[in-house]
Amino acid sequence: MTTTPTPSGRPAPATARPRRARGLRRLAMPLLLSCGMCLGALAAAGPAQAGQANDTVVETTRHGGRTVALTFDDGPDPDDTPRLLEVLRKHRVKAVFCLWGDHVEEHPELVRAIVAGGHTLCNHTMHHDDMATWSPEDIRADLAEANAAIRRAAPGARIPYFRAPYGSWGQTPQVAASMGMQPLGWRLVIGDWEPHSADEFARRITEGVTPGAVVLLHDGGGDRSATVEAVDRAIPRLRAEGWRFDKPARRG
């Protein structure tokens, strides 16, 4: 056992140490309780509220360089999402699925299939409305409703991203970040809401991609069979040119 020097340099009497220890314990108790309350609050808020998102719209991958992130909006769709999941599984690529709440409620089994495939979820609002002029309160209510629908379909699912319909952001980035979701934009959009061939969409992907780009595609909101086929063709071409597939950045 060591002794504690007094200001004079002599060891403190043995009888003084227990009293000091009890005093330290009394002083430490409120601090421990306070820390416990802080940790409890963070746990209740979840990791996202602990500062893992901000209101900058991210458009690049986590690692930059010759990497690309594939993201798919407006699903899930009973025709095209299952086929897309097969294509991604075949090529061993993980993607981000930006889910439309109404479609989630119609096809909850597809949300579970997306999660089971190891893909990342993104809140794309409940009803795909243009929120450019919405108040923060109305935005929060819609995003919370969409999150709840996703988590009813896939309990415990993480939803680390938010994407505004039409890229019409308004005050959504600030609200999404406060809810722990990073606003997710894009660097390349191939316009697959217009009717074109799979060859044309594949060309737009392979020729339009730039280092670290997030690519916007669709697996819902219409017939996206050409998009799915284009992805099937584009992935091996990109790999042959030295591209790697990555996730979007987690913070701006």
Side-chain angles (χ1 to χ4, degrees), residues 53-105:
N54 62 28
D55 61 7
T56 301
V57 179
V58 298
E59 302 173 346
T60 57
T61 60
R62 294 188 179 185
H63 299 100
R66 212 163 171 78
T67 63
V68 58
L70 301 182
T71 67
F72 297 91
D73 284 13
D74 295 356
D77 177 87
D79 296 319
D80 295 315
T81 301
R83 170 62 181 145
L84 176 61
L85 290 173
E86 291 176 8
V87 166
L88 295 173
R89 181 169 56 251
K90 177 177 73 172
H91 294 294
R92 301 182 304 282
V93 169
K94 304 302 182 187
V96 178
F97 285 78
C98 299
L99 302 176
W100 179 336
D102 291 322
H103 297 167
V104 167
E105 291 193 327

Side-chain angles (χ1 to χ4, degrees), residues 28 31 38 79 94 109 114 120 130 135 147 162 172 189 205 207 216 222 248:
L31 293 174
C38 292
D79 296 319
K94 304 302 182 187
E109 74 286 354
I114 292 168
T120 301
D130 185 333
S135 70
N147 277 350
F162 163 77
T172 62
V189 56
I205 295 170
E207 295 182 7
L216 170 61

Side-chain angles (χ1 to χ4, degrees), residues 39 47 74 142 146 206 216 219:
L39 291 172
D74 295 356
D142 184 281
T206 55
L216 170 61
D219 68 317

Side-chain angles (χ1 to χ4, degrees), residues 2 5 59 83 110 112 133 142 198 221 244:
T2 59
E59 302 173 346
R83 170 62 181 145
L110 295 180
R112 292 189 287 275
T133 61
D142 184 281
R244 294 179 294 109

Side-chain angles (χ1 to χ4, degrees), residues 39-221:
L39 291 172
L42 287 175
Q49 278 78 358
Q52 293 183 9
N54 62 28
D55 61 7
T56 301
V57 179
V58 298
E59 302 173 346
T60 57
T61 60
R62 294 188 179 185
H63 299 100
R66 212 163 171 78
T67 63
V68 58
L70 301 182
T71 67
F72 297 91
D73 284 13
D74 295 356
D77 177 87
D79 296 319
D80 295 315
T81 301
R83 170 62 181 145
L84 176 61
L85 290 173
E86 291 176 8
V87 166
L88 295 173
R89 181 169 56 251
K90 177 177 73 172
H91 294 294
R92 301 182 304 282
V93 169
K94 304 302 182 187
V96 178
F97 285 78
C98 299
L99 302 176
W100 179 336
D102 291 322
H103 297 167
V104 167
E105 291 193 327
E106 293 168 356
H107 308 289
E109 74 286 354
L110 295 180
V111 179
R112 292 189 287 275
I114 292 168
V115 172
H119 303 288
T120 301
L121 304 185
C122 170
N123 182 320
H124 198 38
T125 76
M126 190 65 201
H127 308 297
H128 205 271
D129 293 314
D130 185 333
M131 294 182 165
T133 61
W134 286 30
S135 70
E137 294 75 20
D138 289 341
I139 294 169
R140 182 178 295 274
D142 184 281
L143 270 55
E145 184 181 2
N147 277 350
I150 292 169
R151 290 188 173 119
R152 280 195 299 273
R158 290 184 63 253
I159 310 168
Y161 297 103
F162 163 77
R163 175 174 280 164
Y166 316 108
S168 190
W169 294 99
Q171 298 185 70
T172 62
Q174 294 84 359
V175 175
S178 74
M179 299 173 71
M181 295 179 289
Q182 185 67 42
L184 178 60
W186 57 86
R187 280 278 175 87
L188 173 63
V189 56
I190 68 167
D192 59 348
W193 54 86
E194 299 173 345
H196 289 287
S197 68
D199 281 338
E200 173 60 17
F201 288 144
R203 184 194 66 79
R204 293 182 184 185
I205 295 170
T206 55
E207 295 182 7
V209 71
T210 55
V214 172
V215 182
L216 170 61
L217 307 113
H218 293 79
D219 68 317

